[in-house]
Amino acid sequence: MTEGQQLPAVDGVADVVVLGAGPAGLVLANLLLARGIDCVVLERADRDSLRARARAGFLAANTVRILERHGLADGLLRRGHTHSTCEFRTEDGRFRLDYSTLGQGEPHTVYPQQDLVADLLTYYQAAGGRIRFGTEATAVLDADGDDPSVSVRTAEGRPGRWRARYVAGCDGRHGAGRRSLPGHAVRRFHRDHRVTWLGLLAEAPPSLDAVGYAVHERGFAGHMARTSEITRYYVQCERGTPADAWSQERIWDELDLRMRAKEYGPLRRGRIVQRTVVDLESDVLEPLRHGALFLAGDAASLISPSAAKGANLAVLEAELLARALIDDLTRGDSIGVESYSARCLDHIWRAQEFSHWMVELLHGASGGDGDAHFLNSMRRSRMASLRTSRSQQDWFAERYVGV
Ligand code: RFL
């Protein structure tokens, strides 16, 4: 029986308790373990459902460099593929940008997030890392006091407590890390973009050799390759639409219409195997630290998936946090822990700004916005600048791949 399959230990102690085994938590835990830091990962889900959760796919070149630097990139270098073109389809025609040749642009690596998570778990457990599946953190206690700890509940309902010197809240937007922050210590800045996407995974090969962004009077549609057999699509829908409201046929018909398949070529249809309703929202917490508790990844900032930044920010923040904690725990150098929040927030706000720009590029008036013509004309002009202005394209390329 391997470490991860044991019945969860309910109580314990570690120098760093990491909440959540997503990209942020697992990159952090791998980096800490490699430097001999005593850590444990507490993960609410079981191992199989963790490895099956499909989300991101586009990894920025900087993310790949971070993973390579720490010997965590073998899988994605072997099985991922590079990608560097996006195609925009609008009422004014279509155009392509090869962003790897523009400005400071670089290609993306397409590699499903669940495969990255599976690789990171394998590395961590092979190196002897401790992880407790089926263990939900319920609260971080005494974060700014002398005896920080995490209260937990196992899948069987047994309560327990992990004592820690530091707690890394990498448990996403609804996790215990965020929930445990006192209102007086941290502020949350939230933006609802008033746009909703139905996120789909189709058992179908990609239909174009580019990321496809289609702007249509019926709403946005998007196409993103995942593997040679699986493609992610997005269709904008009304807020409140249930995930199963549309039949498979209606989904494909909408995608055909919005992506203008009649003009630009048919989409390869296949079974829709996953549907997720995503309300496009963003938020940022400031600061990202409260005493012994640090936030990283979606726990620190939620970013709309319009520019595919979330997993990339998670990896970047995990590396910064690992460095800070290693310096503090091995050398007593606290500069990194003191500056962690400010350094991350600089990256986060820049990613938020671009993501916000993308939301406005890809959507016309929605959600009851009053002056639809004004907003749609702004959107159309923004797209026209991107189509015609080389300096705008250079700016786009740099922001599109950067974190
Ligand atoms: P995760 O991946 O959500 O992992 C958090 C983990 O914490 C566990 N957990 C708890 N464990 C213990 N106690 C608790 N109380 C817990 N509460 C939660 C969860 O089970 C989970 O295992 O967060 P992390 O590590 O911060 O990573 C963030 C990314 O997952 C996220 O930003 C991206 O998926 C966003 N995103 C994309 N990002 C990209 O960079 N490129 C993309 O192409 C991209 N596509 C996407 C996306 C997000 C999407 N959705 C579903 C919003 C496409 C979609 C549809």
Side-chain angles (χ1 to χ4, degrees):
M1 188 177 266
T2 67
E3 169 87 342
Q5 291 168 320
Q6 286 168 7
L7 267 183
V10 178
D11 294 300
V13 63
D15 277 342
V16 183
V17 172
V18 179
L19 311 183
L26 287 173
V27 168
L28 173 64
N30 270 291
L31 269 49
L32 293 175
L33 187 66
R35 292 296 300 274
I37 304 291
D38 169 40
C39 62
V40 67
V41 179
L42 307 179
E43 167 58 51
R44 182 179 58 189
D46 62 49
R47 192 190 167 98
D48 290 343
S49 40
L50 192 71
R51 292 161 63 114
R53 193 164 48 205
R55 297 178 87 183
F58 272 68
L59 300 178
N62 189 55
T63 306
V64 176
R65 279 193 287 276
I66 292 175
L67 296 168
E68 260 188 294
R69 188 151 63 228
H70 301 289
L72 303 173
D74 284 358
L76 73 91
L77 293 176
R78 248 199 337 266
R79 296 190 298 276
H81 50 275
T82 55
H83 191 286
S84 58
T85 312
C86 35
E87 178 169 311
F88 295 90
R89 298 179 177 183
T90 76
E91 62 272 63
D92 298 313
R94 71 171 165 173
F95 65 96
R96 285 186 160 222
L97 296 178
D98 178 349
Y99 50 84
S100 69
T101 62
L102 291 162
Q104 306 286 312
E106 296 179 277
H108 280 109
T109 297
V110 181
Y111 192 59
Q113 181 169 324
Q114 68 273 27
D115 293 353
L116 176 65
V117 164
D119 293 351
L120 293 169
L121 258 179
T122 304
Y123 288 122
Y124 182 65
Q125 293 194 284
R130 290 193 288 165
I131 182 161
R132 300 287 179 260
F133 291 106
T135 301
E136 179 178 8
T138 50
V140 180
L141 307 168
D142 203 25
D144 59 347
D146 298 331
D147 191 19
S149 67
V150 180
S151 60
V152 300
R153 186 174 47 219
T154 67
E156 304 80 39
R158 286 155 66 197
R161 180 164 300 196
W162 279 83
R163 295 183 53 224
R165 285 176 68 181
Y166 289 116
V167 178
C170 304
D171 49 351
R173 67 181 298 200
H174 300 298
R178 269 191 178 207
R179 268 201 319 271
S180 305
L181 294 165
H184 64 83
V186 174
R187 288 185 67 192
R188 174 175 179 250
F189 302 93
H190 175 249
R191 175 91 185 172
D192 181 346
H193 302 285
R194 295 196 287 163
V195 168
T196 299
W197 286 358
L198 185 56
L200 306 157
L201 279 183
E203 253 173 15
S207 297
L208 45 161
D209 58 349
V211 173
Y213 295 112
V215 181
H216 192 275
E217 61 184 359
R218 294 176 67 87
F220 167 76
H223 160 284
M224 278 134 225
R226 282 298 185 257
T227 67
S228 52
E229 294 102 37
I230 299 281
T231 307
R232 188 176 267 299
Y233 286 94
Y234 294 108
V235 225
Q236 186 182 354
C237 57
E238 290 285 323
R239 178 70 49 102
T241 304
D244 58 0
W246 295 10
S247 67
Q248 303 232 1
E249 202 184 356
R250 171 157 183 216
I251 288 171
W252 285 113
D253 288 349
E254 278 297 329
L255 284 167
D256 271 350
L257 196 68
R258 298 182 192 191
M259 297 205 66
R260 297 172 172 83
K262 272 197 188 137
E263 269 171 279
Y264 302 130
L267 302 178
R268 291 156 145 173
R269 294 190 173 200
R271 202 161 61 91
I272 306 287
V273 291
Q274 195 208 67
R275 300 162 177 238
T276 326
V277 175
V278 189
D279 292 332
L280 267 56
E281 283 179 273
S282 305
D283 72 7
V284 182
L285 269 60
E286 289 194 356
L288 303 177
R289 175 190 181 189
H290 177 61
L293 171 60
F294 293 80
L295 300 182
D298 281 6
S301 167
L302 181 71
I303 187 158
S304 84
S306 57
K309 298 287 184 203
N312 294 292
L313 279 172
V315 171
L316 178 83
E317 290 156 21
E319 191 195 40
L320 285 174
L321 183 54
R323 265 197 231 145
L325 295 177
I326 290 164
D327 285 351
D328 185 77
L329 290 166
T330 60
R331 298 193 280 120
D333 174 352
S334 63
I335 293 174
V337 294
E338 301 299 341
S339 59
Y340 169 75
S341 177
R343 289 191 66 187
C344 287
L345 284 167
D346 185 38
H347 293 287
I348 287 170
W349 280 116
R350 282 206 265 170
Q352 290 286 4
E353 188 274 329
F354 181 71
S355 215
H356 190 83
W357 183 90
M358 281 291 280
V359 172
E360 293 191 343
L361 179 78
L362 301 176
H363 304 89
S366 64
D369 279 314
D371 197 342
H373 179 75
F374 186 89
L375 290 173
N376 282 325
S377 303
M378 298 260 284
R379 195 253 314 139
R380 209 162 161 179
S381 295
R382 184 173 286 202
M383 192 65 85
S385 299
L386 187 60
R387 189 176 63 240
T388 54
S389 156
R390 175 61 199 248
S391 60
Q392 183 76 355
Q393 293 170 358
D394 288 342
W395 174 88
F396 171 83
E398 188 174 328
R399 297 302 181 91
Y400 190 60
V401 297
V403 271

